[in-house]
Amino acid sequence: MTLGEITAAVGGTVRDGSDEVTVTAPVVFDSRRIEPGGMFVALPGERVDGHDYAAQAVAAGAVAVLASRPVGIPAVVVDDVPTAYGRLARMVVDRLPDTTVIGVTGSVGKTSTKDILAQVLSAFGETVANRASNNNELGLPYTVTRATADTRYLVLEMGARGVGHVAYLTRLAPPSVSVVTRVGHAHLGEFGSVENIALAKGEIVEALPGEGGLAVLNGDDPLVAAMATRTRARVLTYGIDGPADVRAEDVTVDELGRAAFRLVHEGQAARVRLRLYGLHQASNALAAATVALGLGHPVGAVAEALSRAEAVSPGRMQVTTRPDGVTIINDAYNAAPDAMRAALRALRTMTGGDRRAVAVLGEMAELGEHAAQVHREIGRQVVEAGAGWLVAIGGADAAHYAAAADGGATVVDRAADVAAAWELLRDGLRPGDVVLVKAANSAGLLTLADKLVEEPGAVTA
């Protein structure tokens, strides 16, 4: 696109350059990700002002900047940079009529589902998807501008911290396929109730076109299944526990916690053996399979693609075994109550009954008035999972973990921060231990997980 075309889409004016300057690479808000021919989005911030990095971005190959003021180099100057970035994303989508846009949301499992789905659809055509969890009003435009005319599938994870957020993202990139994984307690403090969470997540279904659209809904979650009434599009449900259009039957879990099942749809069946860790990944894989099947791909080919899928986003059930036999489960990117329970179940399975389970848990965030109760529930879950050792990291909420787990067979230690936890774990881990590291991203446990695997010869599964 030329700067003139971009200006027509987003408003504003071209400064210090020609309307004919052409942008040929993604439009990014991180100057470190600039590609030659790209455009840099100069975002204002409380601590860092993106305008200060404009010259650096140009030196890295950017041909122009999207900015709120002139920066001395070719720029499209607008009143509101994030809003203009979103309008630019919509312009890109509108110029890709042959690309199928797939939106994915849910309280739990949306990133893993997006990652699996992107790998499955890549078997059938060029696919672009969010990297990690770039799922907000900035991450979505960044992902969209990575698409090209050759992109067959554009898989977009859509996050929300309130009612209306998903609806906004669907206006930037209207989906023809929408996926809702599960309604849980993530961000409960911001939404106020589970019902409000369901209302917000269902916005992705309401955005579908009545003809040619497809809603993929988790039939095992009543709040998600009920979203079928919010669209005139075709609906496909998936499930393990009850009736559904696409089912996983004969589900088993091996000694490493990897699920296998029979994928069944319209009388056709094929065996799937996942490389992903945790029984909960079976549901995520089933969601991805339902999209692919709904798009017309054969059961056998979909099952083969599912069986090749791997964990790709950092801190999402990444499993590493150290030379001393200690296995680290790095699931520290984020933590909602339902995801915490699923990870603890995986921890129990992966110990095989003869290895010590170690739960290294930081606090969960954005639970509001429910925080104390939910942290106590997870503390009890640690005991039920058979953990031999709990290291609870943080303040008051970590204390709730510890109090609920104390008094039983689980040894409980408190750590004020990551540094204190590292001291405990460095001296206390034993060969053969299986260690789960999980917390809200704000707790900073990703660095702790990295330190735990920084042993010479560690092998990532």
Side-chain angles (χ1 to χ4, degrees):
M1 303 178 190
T2 65
L3 294 191
E5 291 172 319
I6 292 173
T7 301
V10 306
T13 57
V14 176
R15 301 292 296 271
D16 300 312
S18 166
D19 285 4
E20 301 304 315
V21 171
T22 303
V23 178
T24 59
V27 181
V28 306
F29 56 91
D30 185 339
S31 61
R32 295 167 297 183
R33 291 183 174 176
I34 286 291
E35 298 176 22
M39 187 176 195
F40 175 59
V41 180
L43 295 169
E46 294 181 1
R47 298 181 179 177
V48 178
D49 187 342
H51 296 79
D52 296 337
Y53 293 86
Q56 177 180 324
V58 170
V63 296
V65 177
L66 183 63
S68 61
R69 63 176 185 266
V71 287
I73 50 182
V76 174
V77 177
V78 296
D79 291 334
D80 186 288
V81 172
T83 298
Y85 198 16
R87 290 173 180 165
L88 178 57
R90 178 59 186 263
M91 180 185 181
V92 172
V93 171
D94 289 345
R95 290 165 65 112
L96 298 173
D98 297 326
T99 300
T100 299
V101 178
I102 302 161
V104 181
T105 196
S107 299
V108 180
K110 59 183 177 292
T111 299
S112 295
T113 297
K114 173 264 300 179
D115 287 343
I116 299 168
L117 178 57
Q119 292 176 78
V120 169
L121 292 180
S122 292
F124 307 108
E126 183 171 318
T127 301
V128 171
N130 317 67
R131 291 171 176 165
S133 291
N134 282 315
N135 61 14
N136 60 12
E137 67 277 9
L138 299 178
L140 186 138
Y142 163 61
T143 305
V144 167
T145 64
R146 290 172 43 225
T148 71
D150 295 326
T151 302
R152 184 174 180 186
Y153 299 111
L154 179 57
V155 182
L156 298 172
E157 178 183 341
M158 298 183 178
R161 294 182 181 275
V163 174
H165 290 188
V166 170
Y168 172 73
L169 296 178
T170 62
R171 290 194 293 272
L172 306 188
S176 58
V177 181
S178 291
V179 184
V180 185
T181 59
R182 187 172 292 277
V183 171
H185 293 79
H187 311 302
L188 187 58
E190 296 186 349
F191 283 95
S193 69
V194 173
E195 290 73 21
N196 281 343
I197 295 173
L199 179 66
K201 299 301 183 183
E203 291 166 358
I204 200 170
V205 176
E206 294 175 344
L208 289 169
E211 294 185 7
L214 171 63
V216 172
L217 304 177
N218 184 350
D220 290 336
D221 185 327
L223 289 173
V224 176
M227 294 176 188
T229 62
R230 297 169 65 175
T231 182
R232 293 183 294 108
R234 179 167 62 115
V235 175
L236 284 178
T237 58
Y238 65 92
I240 300 172
D241 301 326
D245 298 306
V246 180
R247 290 188 44 76
E249 297 181 351
D250 304 326
V251 181
T252 60
V253 180
D254 68 13
E255 67 280 0
L256 294 178
R258 298 171 298 192
F261 57 88
R262 199 162 63 101
L263 175 65
V264 180
H265 176 55
E266 294 184 340
Q268 302 292 312
R271 193 70 182 166
V272 174
R273 186 175 298 278
L274 295 178
R275 299 182 182 184
L276 304 162
Y277 296 87
L279 178 61
H280 58 287
Q281 297 285 17
S283 181
N284 299 332
L286 199 56
T290 304
V291 173
L293 294 169
L295 291 172
H297 300 298
V299 170
V302 171
E304 289 180 8
L306 282 177
S307 298
R308 293 193 297 268
E310 299 178 338
V312 294
S313 291
R316 305 282 188 172
M317 292 301 290
Q318 292 181 304
V319 179
T320 302
T321 298
R322 303 187 330 193
D324 59 1
V326 172
T327 297
I328 308 297
I329 307 170
N330 178 2
D331 201 33
Y333 183 84
N334 217 334
D338 292 336
M340 189 72 84
R341 295 184 186 98
L344 287 167
R345 287 193 293 270
L347 173 65
R348 180 167 194 162
T349 300
M350 293 174 68
T351 63
D354 57 359
R355 303 173 68 184
R356 185 174 65 157
V358 180
V360 181
L361 306 183
E363 296 170 322
M364 295 176 284
E366 299 168 353
L367 294 172
E369 63 183 14
H370 306 277
Q373 174 189 342
V374 173
H375 281 83
R376 285 193 295 268
E377 290 174 357
I378 296 302
R380 289 191 288 270
Q381 187 82 32
V382 169
V383 177
E384 293 173 10
W389 187 16
L390 166 65
V391 178
I393 306 171
D397 286 334
H400 291 304
Y401 283 146
D406 199 15
T410 303
V411 175
V412 177
D413 278 307
R414 292 279 312 281
D417 52 28
V418 167
W422 166 246
E423 296 295 329
L424 286 168
L425 292 162
R426 183 185 59 187
D427 298 333
L429 288 178
R430 305 194 301 245
D433 284 348
V434 181
V435 186
L436 170 67
V437 185
K438 190 165 182 63
N441 196 22
S442 57
L445 265 63
L446 281 170
T447 59
L448 177 61
D450 289 341
K451 290 190 71 168
L452 287 169
V453 301
E454 285 175 358
E455 291 266 345
V459 179
T460 301

